[in-house]
Amino acid sequence: MATSPSERGFVLPVVLGVGVITILLGVMMIERSSQNRIAAIAQKANVRSVAVAEHGIAQFQALFNRYRALATACSDGALSASCGSAATWSNLPNISLNPCSTDSTQPITLIQSYATQQWSNATADPADGQFRLVSYQYQPDIANPTLGTGTLIVQGRINPDDAIRTATAQLKVNFNVTRNPGLGDLPGLWIKQNQAASTAETTQFLVHVRDSTCLGDAASTQPVQQLQGRVQAPYTYQGLPAINFPELSPEGSRLPSSPESKTSAIENQAVTFPNLSQPGTKNLSSGILTYRMRAKNGQSINLTSSSSVLTVGTGSETVVLDLDGGLTLTGGGQIRVASGSTLIIYAHGPVTLAGNKEIEKEATPAIEQEGMPSSMRTQLYVYPSALAPTPEVNLSGDAAPLYLVLVAPTSVVKSSARVQGSIWAKSWQGEEAATVVQDSLKASELKLLWPPRISPITAWQRGDS
């Protein structure tokens, strides 16, 4: 049956309307799908940018572990008034970060790029994103000089060449900066350089030996072979170049010309400490007595006969002898430490300790600890000074063990003695029957300033930008 024009004119707009609606719905669905796809891409990019920032955090943690001095310097001191360090990453010379560096002036290029907030690729493929340092600030703990806080802010970004899809995330983390040793088993003999090292055939190391000689400095392998050949099992020789030596404590590094009151140098006389009436005596805290002593002819204590004995302690305190000069104990001259007391010596000059082999048929050490509990070793720290920048240290007398912890980072130690304890020095020369015997050594008891170390993250904050 034929349809009239009026009927056809009525139906056609209806058909066209349905088609338009269908097209519009299709466009809307496509647009919504596109928006969802863009949102998903953006969300994925944001997640990836956070991952890149986390990767950057891990990279900086590794950097702090490699270059310890960075932890106590700010990336840019001008960024915040709370920065507790005058040193910044952009002005730290290479040699202050790497003891094996030969460059004493220029900063390390990589660290300088971080300090100037340059972007670094997370991987070899730029599409994997970039990270950069926004800032690192260090704040020391005023109440505890061995502790501080580091605040690290790092950004990560993805798709930096596509403005539509670029995503940037920012992370802020806090961690403690400590002066803990973190060395594992402490060595009984630790030397910074082996060029001057030598050992006699009768020398024995019943200790772990650590050699921090920089690889480029060794003129030959002979010093290493000599050292290795004297290490007795089960102890080991460790070649660990560029491992930072701990610094001598500021406690003993005061200027010898300080105008404070001091007691006179002791030369061939019998003296007893504590003597609270002595000039230079300071009761710094409960249980610690410090005696600051002048020098005479470069020596603060010079005892060279059996009648010359310095007796220290009463059995219940730590006695500190802070010497403007060096220390000489020869010919039966002694320092005698009361049982239960601890002796700490800061020397600023040459040291000679020569225990008599026999005095009245009894071997006598240069420093004698009465009772000799294993935890009461005398600690001797040898500082460089203007008059003695590389003070000599000589140890002799093998009949009686010398119970001693000796730290002399600028000295070559020459020894024919039997040392029960440890020796950390610039270098070592073993003569005759020199022996070093491993002893219990607690790093926490030593008066040393260890390289900074970062602790695990204590606070984590995200702030997209």
Side-chain angles (χ1 to χ4, degrees):
M1 177 177 166
T3 305
S4 67
S6 61
E7 290 175 333
R8 290 196 299 272
F10 176 77
V11 172
L12 181 60
V14 172
V15 173
L16 289 176
V18 171
V20 170
I21 291 172
T22 302
I23 292 172
L24 289 175
L25 288 173
V27 170
M28 291 173 63
M29 292 176 66
I30 292 172
E31 179 65 21
R32 178 172 295 180
S33 175
S34 176
Q35 290 177 351
N36 290 341
R37 183 174 64 85
I38 292 174
I41 292 173
Q43 183 178 10
K44 182 178 179 181
N46 286 333
V47 171
R48 290 179 63 199
S49 67
V50 172
V52 174
E54 291 175 345
H55 172 81
I57 295 290
Q59 292 299 304
F60 284 109
Q61 287 178 303
L63 194 72
F64 288 131
N65 288 328
R66 181 179 179 185
Y67 300 113
R68 300 291 180 81
L70 286 179
T72 52
C74 297
S75 60
D76 185 347
L79 287 175
S80 171
S82 65
C83 179
S85 171
T88 64
W89 288 19
S90 57
N91 66 18
L92 279 175
N94 194 330
I95 198 170
S96 70
L97 300 173
N98 178 6
C100 284
S101 171
T102 58
D103 188 348
S104 60
T105 57
Q106 296 298 317
I108 296 176
T109 303
L110 175 64
I111 295 172
Q112 203 170 22
S113 71
Y114 289 149
T116 53
Q117 299 182 326
Q118 298 178 34
W119 290 97
S120 300
N121 287 331
T123 70
D125 185 356
D128 289 333
Q130 292 79 37
F131 66 89
R132 72 171 179 177
L133 174 70
V134 176
S135 71
Y136 173 72
Q137 299 288 293
Y138 171 71
Q139 185 61 42
D141 185 336
I142 298 177
N144 184 356
T146 65
L147 186 67
T149 302
T151 301
L152 178 67
I153 302 176
V154 174
Q155 287 182 341
R157 71 179 183 184
I158 288 291
N159 302 332
D161 296 328
D162 187 340
I164 296 177
R165 299 177 185 172
T166 297
T168 303
Q170 180 167 293
L171 295 177
K172 176 182 178 180
V173 297
N174 293 335
F175 44 76
N176 290 328
V177 179
T178 70
R179 293 282 186 172
N180 294 331
L183 293 173
D185 292 336
L186 295 176
L189 177 65
W190 187 359
I191 60 173
K192 297 173 69 174
Q193 299 176 5
N194 68 23
Q195 291 91 331
S198 62
T199 59
E201 291 184 2
T202 52
T203 296
Q204 293 187 60
F205 295 136
L206 302 174
V207 295
H208 293 297
V209 176
R210 177 171 294 166
D211 182 357
S212 293
T213 302
C214 297
L215 295 179
D217 291 346
S220 69
T221 58
Q222 184 176 0
V224 174
Q225 292 173 345
Q226 285 192 346
L227 292 168
Q228 286 179 320
R230 307 294 180 257
V231 179
Q232 307 298 307
Y235 300 103
T236 60
Y237 168 89
Q238 298 176 311
L240 296 175
I243 296 297
N244 293 78
F245 240 59
E247 299 176 20
L248 291 168
S249 170
E251 183 177 313
S253 61
R254 83 287 176 271
L255 295 174
S257 58
S258 173
E260 62 189 299
S261 175
K262 299 174 186 177
T263 188
S264 300
I266 299 174
E267 185 173 22
N268 287 331
Q269 59 190 113
V271 178
T272 299
F273 290 162
N275 182 344
L276 301 182
S277 64
Q278 282 275 6
T281 303
K282 287 196 173 181
N283 190 348
L284 301 181
S285 63
S286 177
I288 301 177
L289 287 173
T290 298
Y291 296 86
R292 305 200 187 280
M293 304 179 67
R294 298 188 184 93
K296 180 179 180 181
N297 298 324
Q299 296 285 286
S300 292
I301 299 176
N302 187 13
L303 306 178
T304 60
S305 70
S306 58
S307 62
S308 304
V309 176
L310 170 60
T311 302
V312 299
T314 62
S316 60
E317 72 283 272
T318 294
V319 178
V320 178
L321 303 180
D322 195 351
L323 314 180
D324 280 358
L327 167 66
T328 296
L329 302 174
T330 62
Q334 267 193 317
I335 295 180
R336 195 170 295 156
V337 186
S339 178
S341 293
T342 300
L343 176 61
I344 297 173
I345 303 174
Y346 301 127
H348 295 78
V351 171
T352 299
L353 304 180
N356 267 14
K357 293 191 174 181
E358 288 188 6
I359 293 182
E360 296 180 356
K361 298 182 179 181
E362 183 179 351
T364 304
I367 301 177
E368 182 176 9
Q369 175 79 56
E370 297 177 351
M372 191 46 63
S374 60
S375 61
M376 294 294 181
R377 300 295 179 253
T378 293
Q379 299 177 26
L380 172 57
Y381 302 91
V382 183
Y383 288 73
S385 65
L387 296 177
T390 57
E392 293 184 0
V393 177
N394 292 279
L395 311 176
S396 62
D398 61 355
L402 182 59
Y403 295 91
L404 183 68
V405 174
L406 169 63
V407 183
T410 62
S411 302
V412 175
V413 175
K414 299 178 181 180
S415 178
S416 60
R418 177 182 176 87
V419 176
Q420 182 97 17
S422 61
I423 297 175
W424 296 357
K426 179 179 179 180
S427 195
W428 155 274
Q429 293 181 1
E431 303 169 353
E432 299 177 10
T435 306
V436 185
V437 181
Q438 189 85 17
D439 203 358
S440 58
L441 181 62
K442 295 181 179 179
S444 59
E445 296 178 353
L446 301 180
K447 300 295 184 178
L448 293 170
L449 193 61
W450 300 90
R453 293 179 60 85
I454 62 170
S455 298
I457 292 171
T458 57
W460 187 290
Q461 179 181 343
R462 178 178 171 179
D464 294 339
S465 58

